[in-house]
Amino acid sequence: MDHGINPDKLREECGVLGIYTKNREDTAKLLYYGLYALQHRGQESAGIAVNDGLRSNYHKGIGLVPDVFNEKNLGDLIGEIGIGHVRYSSEGRGHLENAQPLVARYRRGSLSLAHNGSLINADIIRERLEDDGVIFQTSIDSEVIVNLIARYSNDGIIPAIERTMDLIKGAYALVIMTEDKLIGIRDPLGLRPLCLGKRGEDYILSSESCALDVMGATLIRDLEPGEIICITKDGISSTYYERPKRRASCIFEYVYFARPDSVIDTVSIYEARKNSGKILYEEHPVDGDMVIAVPDSSIPSAIGYSEASGIPYGEGLIKNRYIGRTFIQASQSMRELAVRLKLNPLGINIKGKRIVLIDDSIVRGTTIRKLVHRLKNDGAKEVHVRISSPPVILSCYFGINTPDRSQLIGAVKTTEEIREMIGADSLGYISEQGLIKATGLPKEHFCTACFSGDYPIDVGEKLNRKMKKYFKD
């Protein structure tokens, strides 16, 4: 589904956040600032739910964090435990009923959940639950998780979560809230990030460490793949659903999705991107007069390329800070206008120069083509494009909204054909090996399926056997 996506970017996932605090008056306000820090992960909807020990209360809406929340509705959210969510719709249209957190009543009390990721077998499970009479209020796979946990809750919330994890397949970082617990869960492959922080006596779970910084918290560590953390008034306990034989963290967190001031799995996103720029120069050197970036996520890579090459780094594209990411626009004509509004060449800096233009990815190629054309129209003598990720040749099934393979330019054209199409004087992509090297982590740590086709989970429809066993119980 294409809901107005920037043609040259993969669409992000979502951001999740949770806090267990003794200062019940500040819970919602702390979550508000944390969600603001995670706004880059979702601009479609935002929500906060809190529990005061007796019941859950929530507020959510369509739009950006400051559009959804105000002093009044934040003031109505009082409780010791709270969770928050910002969303892009990898699954489910952008309607209010699909906004998270999901808040439900079940036989053991209340259950609230916020989910980042996507399940590859959600449709099959939903059909079986509907056959059993379950009524769904949303079209998102997160509601499947809520229903499964409620279904298996007789023995308690943690056993119910473990049984649910045994059934669902795909990517998920979850924060779950009950009357007395805040629970964080990372899928057994670690596809989606989730970290733990501390602020005084408060504990915080977040998709990225940048939210911890804003909330005045200190990063303790990332959750391990398959780990379930349970936070109560008595402290923290940790269990593992499964110790994975391999990891498969999404490599695009390091390329584009995460904020540069975040740390994921002990790696500084900024340093990884800067290293990728240095390696990009080693793999694709070129003579030039100035290195420029497509702001903002490509700036560290451009700085790295500049340092490695000795070519000065400068500003060549000025970003309008008052416009959201271009894929919030609904139509193709509006997307093109938004690209022009968002990025404008700085003619005085580029005129007569050989420009090395650094970007983090090319998906369809339309936006980078427009940028190259505009740079040349504004006087650039040459434009050499360097991309700090390999060509995207396959779709993602784990919460990243990618076009059909026929629309992925890296899948249907050679590098030379892409160079010719976008009008660049040269084009170079970092290699998969080079990108992994930039992180300092081993290849086995990552999912690189969109580059390599090495999916960490069977994405076929052969997931019924275990489900049949459970639904007979």
Side-chain angles (χ1 to χ4, degrees):
M1 295 180 294
D2 180 357
H3 305 312
I5 302 171
N6 178 342
D8 269 346
K9 300 294 175 210
L10 299 183
R11 194 172 191 177
E12 285 116 317
E13 321 133 43
C14 302
V16 299
L17 191 64
I19 185 170
Y20 198 114
T21 176
K22 294 185 177 180
N23 191 347
R24 55 189 282 138
E25 301 293 330
D26 289 344
T27 301
K29 292 178 182 177
L30 283 169
L31 288 169
Y32 171 84
Y33 286 113
L35 289 178
Y36 220 136
L38 297 177
Q39 186 75 87
H40 61 288
R41 299 186 73 88
Q43 296 183 0
E44 182 178 280
S45 66
I48 290 174
V50 300
N51 195 295
D52 61 8
L54 297 174
R55 66 185 184 91
S56 291
N57 192 13
Y58 67 92
H59 181 82
K60 52 188 177 180
I62 300 299
L64 304 177
V65 171
D67 299 327
V68 172
F69 298 104
N70 55 47
E71 287 283 347
K72 184 182 184 307
N73 56 46
L74 287 173
D76 292 337
L77 300 174
I78 305 296
E80 291 82 6
I81 310 173
I83 64 175
H85 190 268
V86 288
R87 180 175 187 264
Y88 282 131
S89 58
S90 60
E91 296 292 339
R93 294 282 182 175
H95 300 310
L96 182 58
E97 64 266 23
N98 290 326
Q100 297 187 42
L102 296 181
V103 179
R105 297 284 309 172
Y106 73 123
R107 56 191 166 191
R108 298 183 67 89
S110 66
L111 178 68
S112 304
L113 175 145
H115 173 206
N116 170 25
S118 183
L119 306 183
I120 62 174
N121 61 342
D123 290 344
I124 299 171
I125 300 175
R126 178 186 286 260
E127 287 177 9
R128 293 182 179 275
L129 288 170
E130 288 175 333
D131 288 344
D132 284 352
V134 174
I135 297 173
F136 284 84
Q137 304 296 322
T138 78
S139 60
I140 56 177
D141 51 13
S142 308
E143 193 176 8
V144 169
I145 301 174
V146 170
N147 274 286
L148 290 175
I149 294 172
R151 184 186 186 98
Y152 300 129
S153 63
N154 279 343
D155 296 327
I157 188 71
I158 299 301
I161 288 170
E162 291 174 337
R163 197 168 187 187
T164 297
M165 292 175 73
D166 202 31
L167 193 56
I168 60 178
K169 301 298 174 186
Y172 50 93
L174 303 172
V175 289
I176 294 174
M177 176 179 68
T178 67
E179 282 82 1
D180 61 351
K181 295 180 180 67
L182 174 66
I183 302 167
I185 305 154
R186 196 173 182 188
D187 69 69
L189 291 169
L191 278 156
R192 302 273 76 84
L194 190 63
C195 64
L196 172 69
K198 191 172 185 182
R199 178 183 183 270
E201 297 183 23
D202 303 342
Y203 286 100
I204 299 169
L205 295 163
S206 177
S207 289
E208 290 185 39
S209 63
C210 63
L212 303 180
D213 298 335
V214 169
M215 297 169 77
T218 301
L219 173 65
I220 297 175
R221 64 178 178 87
D222 295 273
L223 273 67
E224 292 294 319
E227 185 176 8
I228 305 168
I229 278 185
C230 183
I231 304 169
T232 69
K233 65 180 181 179
D234 299 319
I236 294 181
S237 61
S238 173
T239 60
Y240 285 85
Y241 158 72
E242 181 179 315
R243 295 278 189 174
K245 296 179 181 177
R246 64 164 292 185
R247 296 181 65 130
S249 299
C250 176
I251 192 72
F252 251 91
E253 293 287 350
Y254 300 83
V255 174
Y256 173 66
F257 296 145
R259 266 180 39 164
D261 51 337
S262 286
V263 174
I264 295 180
D265 291 335
T266 73
V267 174
S268 161
I269 299 298
Y270 179 87
E271 287 298 321
R273 290 176 185 170
K274 188 175 176 182
N275 290 341
S276 71
K278 294 178 178 180
I279 293 169
L280 189 52
Y281 174 72
E282 293 172 4
E283 294 182 347
H284 298 286
V286 67
D287 290 329
D289 300 311
M290 187 168 69
V291 177
I292 69 172
V294 178
D296 286 319
S297 55
S298 302
I299 290 174
S301 297
I303 292 172
Y305 196 98
S306 171
E307 289 184 1
S309 65
I311 303 169
Y313 168 78
E315 284 192 281
L317 292 167
I318 301 301
K319 182 178 180 180
N320 186 329
R321 304 293 174 183
Y322 299 96
I323 183 173
R325 294 192 173 187
T326 52
F327 47 70
I328 65 174
Q329 302 297 334
S331 66
Q332 178 64 29
S333 62
M334 288 298 100
R335 279 199 298 264
E336 293 176 1
L337 181 61
V339 170
R340 296 181 64 86
L341 178 61
K342 183 178 180 181
L343 295 171
N344 195 44
L346 184 58
I348 195 170
N349 264 11
I350 64 175
K351 189 172 182 179
K353 293 180 180 176
R354 297 169 298 169
I355 298 298
V356 183
L357 176 63
I358 309 294
D359 201 359
D360 47 52
S361 58
I362 300 178
V363 178
R364 288 187 174 97
T366 52
T367 299
I368 193 72
R369 180 178 60 192
K370 289 179 175 63
L371 290 177
V372 170
H373 179 73
R374 292 183 67 198
L375 287 168
K376 289 193 171 185
N377 275 356
D378 281 30
K381 183 179 179 182
E382 297 173 4
V383 179
H384 301 273
V385 175
R386 296 293 180 267
I387 306 298
S388 59
S389 64
V392 177
I393 61 172
L394 291 163
S395 295
C396 175
Y397 298 93
F398 310 123
I400 313 301
N401 208 346
T402 47
D404 294 334
R405 190 167 188 268
S406 62
Q407 298 180 55
L408 294 170
I409 194 171
V412 298
K413 291 184 181 292
T414 66
T415 299
E416 175 56 25
E417 288 171 338
I418 297 170
R419 181 206 65 77
E420 185 176 353
M421 189 208 81
I422 67 176
D425 292 275
S426 69
L427 171 63
Y429 292 86
I430 196 171
S431 65
E432 182 182 339
Q433 180 182 3
L435 177 57
I436 292 169
K437 181 181 177 181
T439 69
L441 295 172
K443 180 179 180 180
E444 293 75 20
H445 188 95
F446 295 108
C447 173
T448 61
C450 55
F451 309 140
S452 64
D454 180 20
Y455 290 99
I457 305 173
D458 178 9
V459 295
E461 295 183 4
K462 299 178 180 179
L463 301 167
N464 292 4
R465 190 173 303 168
K466 185 175 287 188
M467 283 184 293
K468 286 180 180 177
K469 170 182 177 296
Y470 277 101
F471 280 93
K472 287 178 180 177
D473 291 352

